[in-house]
Amino acid sequence: MSFLVPAQAYGRFMGRFSEPLADQFVQVAELRPGQRALDVGCGPGALTARLVDALGVAGVAAVDPSEPFVEATRARFPGLEVRVATAEDLPFADGTFDASLAQLVVHFMADPVAGLAEMARVTRPGGTVAAAVWNHASGNGPLSLFWEAVRAVDPQEEGESDYAGVREGDLARLFDAAGLAGAEESVITVHVPFESFEQWWEPYLLGVGPAGVYVAGLDEERRDALVAACRRRVPDGPFEVAASSWCVRATVQPA
């Protein structure tokens, strides 16, 4: 997979979904003025923007392993503390934050349990750890139509349905394994409009994430077959994609 891409490319590919998701996900933490929050895997700053709206620049920090994304977030929020780092090795002291959030990140962590445990470590006792992951496994994710078409022409391709946390209950089990007992799971759904097939398809050509890498690896004949399979699944004219995300929240317990 690749996220070492310009922030604009990610925005065109996933921003249509991650922006409205962030509007709902940020409410899960129930943040209050004066608190501090960490955005883990901030990307170009969809969730970061909502955290800054709630807490101000001084109340938010963010990390991401992608240097282009970190640079974009720094440019978008002057004065914000943004660092290049992975979830599994957060560069903060124990109990630094009142809340640590990860939107669309856990399924890409090298070690999801270690990443969630690190989020708990840097969050104070009584604080909140929360994560949201697309429901890729049941056909209700933002890319489900695409991967359905892929499997029609390439039955061996599993897509993202086997990633960590994408099945019902998986994310809560990862929280439990990370020592975050009593996790509460819910579902967030967003509805994203598209004016045409071309508007929907074009972002897949930008090389972003597993889907973009898959398309980039196709020869012309296989790509044409995939486009045809996608067209058969997309209505003529404007249409809407409903995408659901598993959302889990837990409270950090005293050691």
Side-chain angles (χ1 to χ4, degrees):
M1 71 193 70
S2 176
F3 292 102
L4 295 176
V5 296
Q8 297 90 334
Y10 180 86
R12 287 163 61 189
F13 178 70
M14 189 51 62
R16 284 176 170 268
F17 295 94
S18 60
E19 295 280 346
L21 178 65
D23 288 333
Q24 299 184 58
F25 180 47
V26 72
Q27 299 177 25
V28 171
E30 298 180 351
L31 300 168
R32 301 185 303 275
Q35 291 186 323
R36 292 200 71 205
L38 174 65
D39 185 353
V40 177
C42 63
L47 178 61
T48 313
R50 278 68 181 177
L51 295 174
V52 169
D53 285 345
L55 304 175
V57 167
V60 179
V63 299
D64 199 281
S66 168
E67 290 190 12
F69 288 174
V70 167
E71 292 172 1
T73 303
R74 284 174 178 164
R76 186 175 177 182
F77 306 103
L80 184 73
E81 182 180 8
V82 190
R83 304 191 195 184
V84 176
T86 65
E88 295 87 349
D89 188 18
L90 296 174
F92 303 101
D94 295 1
T96 299
F97 301 97
D98 298 287
S100 294
L101 292 82
Q103 176 174 294
L104 308 181
V105 175
V106 171
H107 51 321
F108 294 124
M109 291 179 183
D111 186 336
V113 172
L116 290 168
E118 269 288 88
M119 291 173 64
R121 179 187 65 78
V122 302
T123 305
R124 65 168 175 79
T128 296
V129 173
V133 174
W134 289 125
N135 180 2
H136 286 308
S138 66
N140 294 322
L143 310 182
S144 294
L145 188 156
F146 169 81
W147 288 117
E148 178 185 325
V150 168
R151 286 188 290 272
V153 298
D154 185 1
Q156 303 305 312
E157 178 59 47
E158 294 184 357
E160 299 172 59
S161 62
D162 61 343
Y163 282 25
V166 302
R167 297 179 182 277
E168 184 174 7
D170 280 357
L171 190 55
R173 284 189 284 271
L174 291 172
F175 268 63
D176 187 65
L180 288 159
E184 302 171 359
E185 184 175 74
S186 59
V187 175
I188 297 174
T189 301
V190 299
H191 300 268
V192 178
F194 291 90
E195 291 300 317
S196 64
F197 172 84
E198 288 72 22
Q199 185 186 47
W200 175 85
W201 168 253
E202 188 271 340
Y204 288 95
L205 304 177
L206 301 177
V208 180
V213 170
Y214 179 83
V215 173
L218 298 176
D219 58 30
E220 184 176 356
E221 181 180 357
R222 294 169 66 206
R223 186 177 299 186
D224 288 346
L226 176 58
V227 170
C230 287
R231 281 190 180 276
R232 288 194 292 270
R233 289 163 172 79
V234 173
D236 293 330
F239 65 101
E240 181 180 273
V241 174
S244 65
S245 166
W246 304 116
C247 178
V248 171
R249 167 184 169 160
T251 300
V252 177
Q253 303 300 316

